[in-house]
Amino acid sequence: MTSQRARNRLVEQLRRMGIETEAVLEVIRTTPRHLFVDEALASRAYENTALPIGFGQTISQPYIVAAMTAALYTTGPLERVLEVGAGCGYQSAVLAQLAKRVFSIERIEALANKLRQRLMDLRISNVRVRHGDGYQGWPAHAPFDAILVAAAPVSVPPALLEQLAVGGRLIIPVGRAGHQQMCLYTRSEDGIEETVLERVSFVPLLEGLGQ
Ligand code: SAH
């Protein structure tokens, strides 16, 4: 079930669920999600579900990865992307294939280390991984033309809006457990526009460092 057939089936399912961006679907088709989860779960890697990755965290559902990526990838390849909550690194690997440079932050050190190794094994070299608190963004590399947050704060961290380039987009789940909504923020010369998208369920974005 880690076969190309299983991956094709997943892509067809995402298409039926409304994902239309071909470049994103192609990256999902070619990225080995089974290498980002424990061996015991590898046979379920191409099901459209979230799976545990240890430390109480989960690898996001493929539909969510595809939908968030497609919301950012609207005008072709991205330049600089900030990812907050990199977890096992699957989303980082997807973004790496659609952007020139990706800056990924993970607050749990063991996950950050594992993900660095995994990306190296896959020969993905345009992702910088940092063990840190993504609530503050990564000012040294700002501004970003896209920011993707994979854990939900109660309200949008101001630092992330500040680090968005003009024309840039931030996709982020916002709200308390059970009441979260995916939100898209677009920065223009005139200010920031908010679009509220679908209801979602993410682990919380925690402030400060993990172990
Ligand atoms: N896209 C990831 C999702 C992992 S779950 C994947 O598919 O594997 C969300 C991740 O956000 C967790 O690993 C959690 O440790 C991390 N996280 C939570 N709060 C954070 C913060 N303030 N800064 C950085 N990472 C954070």
Side-chain angles (χ1 to χ4, degrees):
M1 284 314 282
T2 56
S3 67
Q4 195 56 56
R5 238 179 86 207
R7 295 186 207 181
N8 291 347
R9 203 176 310 138
L10 172 62
V11 166
E12 288 321 309
Q13 192 178 350
L14 299 182
R15 214 188 278 281
R16 283 198 301 277
M17 291 174 81
I19 308 293
E20 292 173 340
T21 313
E22 286 305 324
V24 173
L25 291 170
E26 192 49 32
V27 168
I28 300 263
R29 191 196 301 283
T30 54
T31 304
R33 190 170 184 258
H34 64 281
L35 300 182
F36 290 84
V37 296
D38 276 354
E39 244 170 276
L41 293 169
S43 65
R44 301 190 56 202
Y46 299 100
E47 292 175 15
N48 186 28
T49 55
L51 294 168
I53 55 170
F55 307 94
Q57 308 301 324
T58 53
I59 178 172
S60 305
Q61 185 195 18
Y63 168 73
I64 289 291
V65 171
M68 291 178 89
T69 309
L72 298 176
Y73 190 90
T74 51
T75 51
L78 298 159
E79 286 287 322
R80 303 162 76 73
V81 180
L82 174 68
E83 181 197 24
V84 173
C88 70
Y90 174 69
Q91 173 81 70
S92 328
V94 167
L95 288 170
Q97 296 169 78
L98 297 164
K100 206 178 243 173
R101 298 190 69 189
V102 180
F103 299 87
S104 297
I105 308 180
E106 170 53 52
R107 75 180 279 280
I108 297 178
E109 189 165 23
L111 284 175
N113 291 339
K114 219 164 145 178
L115 127 81
R116 243 184 233 117
Q117 183 60 48
R118 205 172 260 140
L119 294 176
M120 234 152 66
D121 293 346
L122 290 169
R123 298 194 159 71
I124 293 176
S125 55
N126 58 339
V127 180
R128 262 285 289 274
V129 178
R130 186 175 124 196
H131 168 226
D133 177 10
Y135 204 92
Q136 310 302 332
W138 197 335
H141 294 289
F144 301 99
D145 58 331
I147 302 179
L148 186 154
V149 184
V154 172
S155 59
V156 179
L160 298 184
L161 290 174
E162 281 159 21
Q163 291 171 33
L164 211 50
V166 171
R169 303 170 140 239
L170 160 66
I171 185 105
I172 180 168
V174 181
R176 295 184 192 283
H179 301 278
Q180 297 171 3
Q181 271 174 313
M182 189 62 84
C183 297
L184 178 67
Y185 293 87
T186 312
R187 173 167 230 149
S188 68
E189 299 281 3
D190 307 328
I192 290 175
E193 188 191 319
E194 181 195 48
T195 314
V196 177
L197 306 169
E198 61 206 296
R199 293 192 60 150
V200 287
S201 174
F202 276 79
V203 297
L205 184 79
L206 302 172
E207 280 192 70
L209 285 184
Q211 67 273 53

